[in-house]
Amino acid sequence: MTVEPAEPIVAGPAEFAPYGDFEADCPARMAVDLFGNSWLPVIVYMLREGPMRPGDLRATIGGISQKMLTQTLRRMEQMTLIVRHRYAEAPPRVEYELTAAGRDLLIPIYALGEWVDRHGSAVRAAMSCADDED
């Protein structure tokens, strides 16, 4: 399989304040950690139109266990990406909503979606060929 080189995208590096003596202190590491949790971007995307209850999130996402959803929502709340609203009703009701920081994550999520739209079929085809060779 031959892959044609694409036109290079010219984008300058983002300017950050000095971050310390070690690459582990690099601000980009946080971004990689955020997207390293495969459910976090999915949940951010699902909450893009407004608050949702955990059961509705789980049903809409599909394939996520209750335990994983709860762990990810708690982590996102600790990171101030979402806010948890508790309503004193019978039965009690809880909803999760994106904060400003959480909404800002939609920018790279949409960018990744555009990348997949442009290059996903080529990547899938290359992966299929690699699987066939094994």
Side-chain angles (χ1 to χ4, degrees):
M1 171 180 205
T2 305
V3 177
E4 295 295 322
E7 292 280 326
I9 296 174
V10 180
E15 295 294 324
F16 295 108
Y19 53 81
D21 296 331
F22 304 104
E23 291 300 319
D25 299 329
C26 175
R29 184 175 177 141
M30 180 186 294
V32 171
D33 289 344
L34 285 172
F35 285 91
N37 177 323
S38 61
W39 292 112
L40 189 146
V42 174
I43 293 171
V44 169
Y45 185 78
M46 296 312 302
L47 292 172
R48 72 193 181 283
E49 293 180 5
M52 288 183 77
R53 297 178 72 174
D56 295 335
L57 269 172
R58 186 167 178 233
T60 305
I61 291 170
I64 186 170
S65 69
Q66 184 62 51
K67 179 181 176 184
M68 183 55 65
L69 177 63
T70 300
Q71 287 175 349
T72 306
L73 288 170
R74 285 182 182 156
R75 181 170 180 242
M76 292 173 71
E77 189 176 12
Q78 290 170 343
M79 298 168 82
T80 69
L81 301 175
I82 60 172
V83 63
R84 181 177 190 240
H85 299 288
R86 290 171 290 246
Y87 299 95
E89 299 173 351
R93 180 170 57 108
V94 174
E95 290 182 333
Y96 291 92
E97 181 176 22
L98 292 174
T99 62
R103 280 189 303 277
D104 282 350
L105 276 177
L106 288 167
I107 297 167
I109 290 169
Y110 288 144
L112 286 170
E114 290 175 11
W115 183 90
V116 169
D117 192 46
R118 283 195 306 271
H119 305 289
S121 59
V123 171
R124 279 189 294 276
M127 296 301 291
S128 178
C129 287
D131 288 344
D132 291 343
E133 292 173 4
D134 289 340

